[in-house]
Amino acid sequence: MFMISKKICLVGDFNVGKTSLIRRFVDRQFSDQYLSTVGVKISRKNVDLEEVGGKKNVQVQLLIWDLEGSTKFKAIAPTYLQGSKGVIIVADLTRSETIEHIQDHIKLFLSMNPKGQIIVALNKSDLLDEVKIAKMMASYQLDSEKISAIYNTSAKTGKNVDEIFQTLTAKIMETSE
C-alpha cells in the first residue's frame, strides 16, 4: 500500500459544527455539548482510495486542521491555512449569515492556496426538511466554479460526513498528480 500525507482545513463561522464533523469522521462520535475551538486543533485520519494516477490502493493520511471560527481569529487564520491542499468550508443551515460568509472563507483560503480544492458542507441538515433546504439554497449564489462539491451534512446523523472527506481527498489527489 502506498501512503501519502496531506493537510486539509475546516473553516467557517463559530458554532457551525466544524469540530463535530471532524469528531464524527475521525472518532465516529457526536456530542450535543458545544465546545469552542481555541486557535487550531489537529486530527489525523487515513483515507483509502482505490486508484490515484495509476497507483492502486493509495492510502492518504489527512492532517485535519480545525480552525477557530471567531472573527478575532481572522488575522492569524492565513498562517494556519498555509500549505493546505484543500478546505471544507462549513456553514450552519439554521443560520443564514453563516451561508452568506462562505464566499469570504473561499476568498481567504484561495489567497493562501490558489490551487487548493474546496468542498462546502451545509451542516445541521437534520434540523430542516429537504424542501426548506432546497428553497434556501436557491436564494444563495455560491461561486460554484471554485467549489468542487456542496453537501448537506449532519454531524449528528452522520449524513454525508464521510463523503465530504472522501471527495476532498480524491480531488486533492487528482490535481496533485
Side-chain angles (χ1 to χ4, degrees):
M1 176 151 307
F2 189 71
M3 167 91 86
I4 299 170
S5 188
K6 298 288 180 184
K7 173 183 175 180
I8 67 167
C9 294
L10 267 77
V11 300
D13 293 357
F14 73 94
N15 197 21
V16 293
K18 298 178 295 293
T19 302
S20 293
L21 287 169
I22 293 169
R23 282 194 72 204
R24 171 63 77 178
F25 179 64
V26 174
D27 302 324
R28 300 288 182 225
Q29 295 177 348
F30 176 78
S31 172
D32 278 329
Q33 293 184 333
Y34 177 66
L35 294 171
S36 181
T37 302
V38 178
V40 66
K41 180 182 185 295
I42 303 170
S43 302
R44 295 176 198 270
K45 171 96 177 196
N46 292 341
V47 173
D48 296 322
L49 299 175
E50 287 181 27
E51 184 177 349
V52 176
K55 295 181 180 98
K56 301 269 187 216
N57 299 324
V58 176
Q59 190 172 67
V60 180
Q61 180 186 57
L62 291 181
L63 302 172
I64 306 166
W65 290 49
D66 179 3
L67 275 56
E68 175 181 336
S70 126
T71 49
K72 292 180 283 187
F73 183 69
K74 294 276 187 264
I76 56 171
T79 307
Y80 288 125
L81 290 170
Q82 207 163 21
S84 180
K85 299 300 178 192
V87 67
I88 297 172
I89 297 173
V90 185
D92 178 345
L93 281 167
T94 67
R95 293 172 32 225
S96 60
E97 71 275 7
T98 68
I99 299 169
E100 292 165 9
H101 296 155
I102 291 172
Q103 289 300 136
D104 296 335
H105 296 300
I106 290 172
K107 196 170 156 185
L108 179 62
F109 175 73
L110 290 175
S111 73
M112 297 306 296
N113 306 290
K115 294 182 179 175
Q117 298 298 311
I118 299 170
I119 299 285
V120 172
L122 302 171
N123 201 29
K124 304 185 185 181
S125 65
D126 57 293
L127 300 176
L128 299 173
D129 66 54
E130 293 295 323
V131 175
K132 186 167 183 175
I133 292 171
K135 282 182 184 173
M136 186 184 336
M137 289 318 300
S139 67
Y140 291 100
Q141 294 298 316
L142 295 177
D143 187 353
S144 59
E145 184 181 301
K146 295 186 177 22
I147 300 170
S148 297
I150 300 171
Y151 287 93
N152 293 336
T153 61
S154 170
K156 186 174 188 173
T157 67
K159 177 183 175 184
N160 288 329
V161 174
D162 287 352
E163 288 81 354
I164 60 176
F165 289 96
Q166 285 280 351
T167 301
L168 183 59
T169 304
K171 289 286 184 189
I172 289 169
M173 295 309 296
E174 280 172 22
T175 58
S176 67
E177 288 303 308

